[in-house]
Amino acid sequence: MKEDAYKKIIAHYENCLNTHGDTHLGMDWPNISDAQKRYGIMLDLMRFKKESQEVSLLDFGCGTSHLYQYMLEHTFSKVTYSGLDITKKFVNLAQEKYPENTYYQLDVLKDASKLPSFDYIVCNGVFTEKRELTFEAMWAYMQQLLLVLFNKADKGIAFNVMSKAVDWERWDLFHLSTDLLIDFMTKQLSRNFIIRNDYGLYEYTVYIYK
């Protein structure tokens, strides 16, 4: 992958925020109900956590922390939330809204040493859009990022991608074969994973555990 090619995706999300503000459209989610559904699916990564157990969670690609707002509106006790985004404007806005949280503004592919480890890491919408990137470039970017993030997670990570089981594939979305993904995960990450394709959207979510 050409160095920094993924920044085309980042520029797209920055434009969405500038156009639509701190809304679901500003995060490039078409509607609120589906976005809320995704938050619940992402957080179900912690399904094996005991109620009394304290854990840390990193929202990778946090945007303006809509996931954290969802957590506040539902019951997620003993979970310490942190957010990371590569875009300064997203991080500043999230920190202004939720000063109680820790936020990181960095590119982990440039320097992962600045990021501590967490029990769980979720990547909601990080891999669903490829924009102008080729499939090969996006796949290379995803693999590089997953290798870094899985190393930073003590218990597991979650992420979503677009499904291949659709009537047609959009040029700007990243439709990934489960066979290709499973081959990578079992060889490079872990054989301990769950694929969620049970929530009615044209995507699937993966939990990978240590």
Side-chain angles (χ1 to χ4, degrees), residues 106-152:
L106 73 124
D107 184 344
V108 296
L109 294 182
K110 293 282 176 79
D111 187 5
S113 66
K114 296 179 180 178
L115 185 68
S117 295
F118 299 85
D119 290 315
Y120 297 101
I121 299 176
V122 297
C123 311
N124 184 31
V126 175
F127 306 122
T128 51
E129 296 194 43
K130 67 179 183 65
R131 306 304 299 172
E132 294 84 6
L133 269 66
T134 64
F135 177 89
E136 291 75 18
M138 185 65 190
W139 175 226
Y141 166 60
M142 180 177 177
Q143 291 177 84
Q144 291 173 17
L145 204 46
L146 287 178
L147 286 168
V148 172
L149 295 180
F150 196 63
N151 188 52
K152 292 290 184 177

Side-chain angles (χ1 to χ4, degrees), residues 66-77:
H66 290 189
L67 178 72
Y68 182 65
Q69 180 61 42
Y70 179 92
M71 292 174 65
L72 293 177
E73 295 169 356
H74 296 76
T75 305
F76 288 94
S77 59

